[in-house]
């Protein structure tokens, strides 16, 4: 049973460029959340996708956008990269069905993509 | 805005010592999760606590959820070098299905 996978592992970009990060959720999960983690800090929620729509969004500018595909995989896109976008980007999957069934939400994280903006 | 404060921020101890990490908020959470993260990797879920006052044990780790579901603690007995890592608490507001992470506690256990 594969866990959450993310690609690429590492990425180096320059200011102003655009980047796309990818995530495949854990088998049986239908909800994908994206987080940004700066060095030495806790992850910050970017947004969440369920049924191919953005359902929740954190305090991130419109330069951050995403997409979820019918197979539940997801992409995170960041446009006009800034130096401050350098971080570890984490994808977490969960099951919305479990939440609606009254079972508490548990999210499982992938290994992350380390983005460096020069 | 829901915030979670962790203390201490950094902790360096010798193998065999005991320690406690605290996670505090003014907000109520429907559940609270503890994760451990190693360098270059994603957070790994250790435990989820749901009921106020709940205590869960995972080998040498003891997790407690506050009675009012606003705070939590993690106690490690006889710490080992393998316990080294960043410990994160994360609260689940419930309806939003998003996690609010704490500021993190970086633990280093020296052999």
């Amino acid at each position: 049973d594969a866990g959450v996978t993310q690609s690429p592992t590492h990425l180096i970009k320059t200011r102003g460029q655009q980047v796309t990060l990818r995530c495949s959720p854990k088998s049986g999960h239908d909800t994908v959340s994206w987080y940004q983690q700066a060095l030495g800090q806790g992850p910050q929620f970017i947004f969440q996708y369920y049924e191919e729509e953005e359902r929740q969004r954190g305090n991130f500018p419109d330069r951050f956008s995403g997409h979820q595909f019918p197979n539940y995989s997801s992409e995170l896109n960041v446009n006009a990269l800034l130096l401050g976008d350098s971080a570890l980007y984490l994808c977490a999957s969960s099951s919305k069905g479990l939440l609606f069934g009254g079972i508490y939400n548990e999210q499982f994280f992938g290994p992350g993509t380390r983005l460096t903006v020069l | 805005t829901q915030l979670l404060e962790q203390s201490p921020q950094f902790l360096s101890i010798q193998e065999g010592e005991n320690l406690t990490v605290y996670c505090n908020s003014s907000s109520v959470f429907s559940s609270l999760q503890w994760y451990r993260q190693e360098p270059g990797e994603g957070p790994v879920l250790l435990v989820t606590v749901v009921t106020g006052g709940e205590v869960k044990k995972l080998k040498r780790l003891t997790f407690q959820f506050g009675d009012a579901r606003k705070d939590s603690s993690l106690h490690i007995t006889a710490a080992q070098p393998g316990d080294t890592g960043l410990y994160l608490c994360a609260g689940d507001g419930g309806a939003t299905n998003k996690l609010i992470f704490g500021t993190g506690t970086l633990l280093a256990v020296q052999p």
Side-chain angles (χ1 to χ4, degrees):
Chain A
D1 177 23
V4 180
T5 60
Q6 291 186 245
S7 63
T9 306
H10 296 86
L11 205 51
I12 299 176
K13 292 285 188 178
T14 57
R15 281 180 298 174
Q17 285 190 309
Q18 177 266 341
V19 68
T20 297
L21 310 182
R22 297 176 176 81
C23 170
S24 290
K26 182 179 169 67
S27 177
H29 285 180
D30 54 13
T31 301
V32 173
S33 302
W34 287 93
Y35 294 82
Q36 180 194 66
Q37 186 178 24
L39 201 60
Q41 297 182 20
Q44 298 293 312
F45 177 77
I46 302 175
F47 43 52
Q48 182 183 86
Y49 277 84
Y50 170 66
E51 291 186 335
E52 301 179 48
E53 289 189 19
E54 183 183 295
R55 300 292 179 170
Q56 297 283 339
R57 189 176 183 93
N59 189 26
F60 280 81
D62 292 344
R63 297 188 297 109
F64 289 78
S65 63
H67 188 78
Q68 185 179 34
F69 300 94
N71 66 353
Y72 309 121
S73 67
S74 176
E75 289 182 349
L76 163 64
N77 301 292
V78 187
N79 295 322
L81 285 167
L82 303 174
L83 296 179
D85 294 331
S86 295
L88 180 68
Y89 288 84
L90 295 163
C91 166
S93 75
S94 57
S95 174
K96 205 74 169 179
L98 285 178
L99 181 65
F100 291 153
I103 300 174
Y104 48 80
N105 172 40
E106 280 191 336
Q107 297 191 14
F108 294 85
F109 284 81
T113 294
R114 172 69 63 186
L115 172 65
T116 302
V117 182
L118 302 176
Chain B
T1 303
Q2 295 174 305
L3 293 173
L4 277 167
E5 296 285 340
Q6 285 185 239
S7 62
Q9 192 174 358
F10 302 100
L11 197 52
S12 180
I13 61 172
Q14 295 296 123
E15 182 176 0
E17 292 185 17
N18 301 333
L19 67 118
T20 301
V21 177
Y22 299 94
C23 175
N24 295 297
S25 176
S26 58
S27 302
V28 176
F29 292 98
S30 60
S31 68
L32 195 138
Q33 299 170 18
W34 283 92
Y35 292 83
R36 181 172 68 215
Q37 184 177 23
E38 299 190 19
E41 299 182 10
V44 175
L45 180 65
L46 297 174
V47 78
T48 300
V49 286
V50 181
T51 306
E54 181 178 6
V55 177
K56 281 192 174 179
K57 291 190 175 184
L58 183 65
K59 297 184 180 177
R60 295 175 293 100
L61 278 61
T62 302
F63 305 85
Q64 184 163 9
F65 203 11
D67 291 341
R69 292 186 287 132
K70 293 182 179 180
D71 54 83
S72 182
S73 64
L74 157 61
H75 182 78
I76 300 179
T77 303
Q80 304 292 313
D83 295 328
T84 293
L86 179 67
Y87 287 82
L88 296 160
C89 63
D92 178 4
T96 61
N97 196 32
K98 71 178 183 182
L99 294 179
I100 306 298
F101 276 87
T103 47
T105 294
L106 187 59
L107 171 65
V109 182
Q110 312 297 333

